[in-house]
Amino acid sequence: MRKEEVASLVVYLLMIALAIILGLSLVTNAMSVCRPANFNSFGFILLVIFIGLIFNILMLETLHVIGAKLGGYKITSFNVLGFCFEKREGKWKFKFKDFDGLTGETKIVPAKEKLNMKPFVWLPLFGYAAELAGGIVLYSHMMNDSSSNVRWLGVCGILFVIISSMLALYNLCPIKLDTTTDGYRLVLMAKPANVVAYNELLKAEDLANNGQEVPELRVFEEITEFTASINLFNVYRHLENNELDEAEKIIDMMLADPKKIEPYTYQRLISQKLYITILTKDMEEGRKVYDELADDKIRRFIANDLSMESIRAYLLISGILEKSQAEVKYAISRKPKAIKRTIKQRITVEEKLYEIALNKVYEAHPKWKEEEPKENIAA
């Protein structure tokens, strides 16, 4: 499992644990004295949970919208649980669409020169804090007011707190999960270079979604984990256009200081570097670079990493440097799973780069191609 998947799983388990602990203590206690008359306890709780979820999900995305407006951005998409209102070519349209988030997503694009991302990520936190305080006050007041006929509102208050706390636990997580959270955005925004890079990315995505040509993105010399991911857009643009020297220059810049990026990003950049080197240089030069860059740890990573970057590099390493037909077959067998894990925008170029690598191996070893099943042979 990828690091993001493991982290997400841990957060999901914490969310469930939070719900169970608070549910068995506070809710059970409240329901013993606060259940509304003539109302089934289980049905009442389910109804409040449903209303609480819808309220919190709508509040989160609404606060994102308000925060974006305050920060100088315009809204291009408002998505709640797949129900999406999207602005394309100046018109709002409704569609069902996937989203990058736990319960929804608000997409934005810079509308002014002077921008401030902070309201976009901070307003949901303030909203959660206000709901938390309100829910606790309501619960405490109703539990202590034995004369009230609406003490069951205390149950509503604590259920809303539990729901909002579960969502906040995920949304405010400061590490990279399987979706982009406000907590992770806050970490990114701590570095000015990331803010500039993020705004560049938003502009590019908006142009692409409107079917317009995306100009080459800025190449960031100040390398962080996030600016490295932006630079990779330019790397892929050069690879797609067969501008391998230009792609290699950007890769070399990012490889200069491994401490500035996460290990798996660095290792995949090594895969990209080796792919270009073995593809374009003679075998002696390819072997030299491979020996210099790839220690035992990186070699194991490339051999086992289920990504197209590593698989096409491993094809060339196995076929050209190591001359191992068995390892070439191993790389080929892993390609279908790897392509499914590739982000949508890069599938076409990765298919092309894979075919180039495979054809180079078969040019060096024509008999291997004859022995491969037709479905495994690149066109």
Side-chain angles (χ1 to χ4, degrees):
M1 295 177 71
R2 293 178 299 171
K3 186 174 71 172
E4 295 93 335
E5 294 172 335
V6 174
S8 299
L9 180 60
V10 171
V11 173
Y12 291 140
L13 292 174
L14 289 174
M15 290 168 65
I16 293 171
L18 176 66
I20 292 174
I21 292 170
L22 294 180
L24 291 177
S25 55
L26 297 178
V27 176
T28 301
N29 182 46
M31 284 299 293
S32 65
V33 294
C34 296
R35 182 172 61 86
N38 302 319
F39 209 114
N40 179 270
S41 298
F42 184 70
F44 173 69
I45 290 177
L46 286 181
L47 177 63
V48 176
I49 289 175
F50 175 76
I51 295 172
L53 275 172
I54 298 301
F55 172 81
N56 277 279
I57 293 168
L58 286 172
M59 182 182 74
L60 174 63
E61 298 310 326
T62 300
L63 291 175
H64 274 149
V65 169
I66 296 172
K69 291 287 188 181
L70 291 174
Y73 296 84
K74 63 181 180 181
I75 312 304
T76 60
S77 176
F78 182 83
N79 191 326
V80 173
L81 298 175
F83 294 86
C84 180
F85 290 91
E86 190 174 41
K87 192 173 186 179
R88 292 289 170 258
E89 299 177 353
K91 295 181 180 180
W92 286 97
K93 296 180 180 180
F94 173 79
K95 62 174 68 175
F96 294 101
K97 192 174 181 180
D98 291 337
F99 50 90
D100 179 24
L102 182 63
T103 57
E105 178 185 18
T106 298
K107 288 188 176 181
I108 59 178
V109 66
K112 299 178 181 179
E113 288 296 323
K114 201 169 184 179
L115 299 166
N116 186 358
M117 177 64 67
K118 291 180 180 178
F120 181 77
V121 294
W122 276 108
L123 270 187
L125 175 59
F126 294 151
Y128 164 67
E131 185 179 358
L132 178 65
I136 291 174
V137 168
L138 181 62
Y139 172 76
S140 300
H141 177 72
M142 289 303 173
M143 287 294 290
N144 293 322
D145 187 2
S146 58
S147 63
S148 174
N149 293 323
V150 289
R151 295 179 71 195
W152 52 267
L153 285 174
V155 179
C156 297
I158 203 61
L159 281 172
F160 268 56
V161 166
I162 293 172
I163 293 166
S164 63
S165 297
M166 290 175 65
L167 296 179
L169 178 62
Y170 182 93
N171 189 50
L172 298 177
C173 186
I175 61 176
K176 191 174 183 180
L177 301 179
D178 51 0
T179 65
T180 305
T181 66
D182 285 334
Y184 184 60
R185 287 191 183 98
L186 282 171
V187 173
L188 290 177
M189 297 308 112
K191 295 185 178 181
N194 286 338
V195 178
V196 177
Y198 190 66
N199 287 325
E200 287 285 309
L201 179 61
L202 292 176
K203 292 176 185 177
E205 288 179 342
D206 186 59
L207 289 171
N209 288 334
N210 281 288
Q212 300 177 37
E213 184 178 353
V214 179
E216 185 170 349
L217 298 179
R218 172 179 168 182
V219 176
F220 290 88
E221 295 183 3
E222 182 179 345
I223 301 301
T224 67
E225 178 64 22
F226 190 72
T227 59
S229 69
I230 303 300
N231 284 347
L232 275 174
F233 279 88
N234 289 314
V235 169
Y236 272 95
R237 178 189 289 274
H238 290 309
L239 289 174
E240 186 174 15
N241 295 331
N242 200 34
E243 299 165 347
L244 302 185
D245 288 342
E246 295 302 316
E248 190 172 21
K249 288 178 184 176
I250 300 174
I251 292 169
D252 287 342
M253 180 180 66
M254 292 190 285
L255 288 174
D257 190 349
K259 295 179 182 178
K260 291 185 177 181
I261 52 180
E262 294 189 13
Y264 83 94
T265 302
Y266 176 79
Q267 289 161 337
R268 286 182 179 174
L269 284 170
I270 294 291
S271 294
Q272 299 271 36
K273 170 74 174 179
L274 291 173
Y275 172 85
I276 294 172
T277 301
I278 300 172
L279 197 64
T280 59
K281 304 292 193 302
D282 58 38
M283 190 167 69
E284 183 178 341
E285 179 65 18
R287 168 64 66 181
K288 179 182 177 182
V289 173
Y290 181 54
D291 289 340
E292 288 176 352
L293 291 179
D295 58 20
D296 289 341
K297 182 179 178 180
I298 290 176
R299 294 185 187 198
R300 286 195 299 271
F301 174 85
I302 296 173
N304 295 306
D305 181 36
L306 198 58
S307 74
M308 289 303 296
E309 299 100 304
S310 294
I311 283 177
R312 51 185 164 83
Y314 196 62
L315 265 178
L316 293 174
I317 292 167
S318 301
I320 305 301
L321 300 185
E322 306 296 345
K323 297 182 175 59
S324 172
Q325 186 178 12
E327 293 306 307
V328 167
K329 288 182 177 180
Y330 169 72
I332 291 172
S333 71
R334 290 165 61 81
K335 185 255 184 177
K337 288 184 179 180
I339 202 68
K340 289 180 181 178
R341 295 163 64 99
T342 303
I343 63 174
K344 187 177 180 180
Q345 295 89 337
R346 291 179 183 164
I347 289 178
T348 300
V349 63
E350 279 293 3
E351 289 277 13
K352 175 185 173 182
L353 297 172
Y354 171 83
E355 289 182 2
I356 291 172
L358 187 57
N359 283 332
K360 183 174 179 68
V361 171
Y362 284 151
E363 285 173 7
H365 308 282
K367 290 185 178 180
W368 292 4
K369 182 174 182 178
E370 295 172 7
E371 296 172 9
E372 280 296 313
K374 289 184 179 180
E375 61 268 22
N376 288 340
I377 298 176

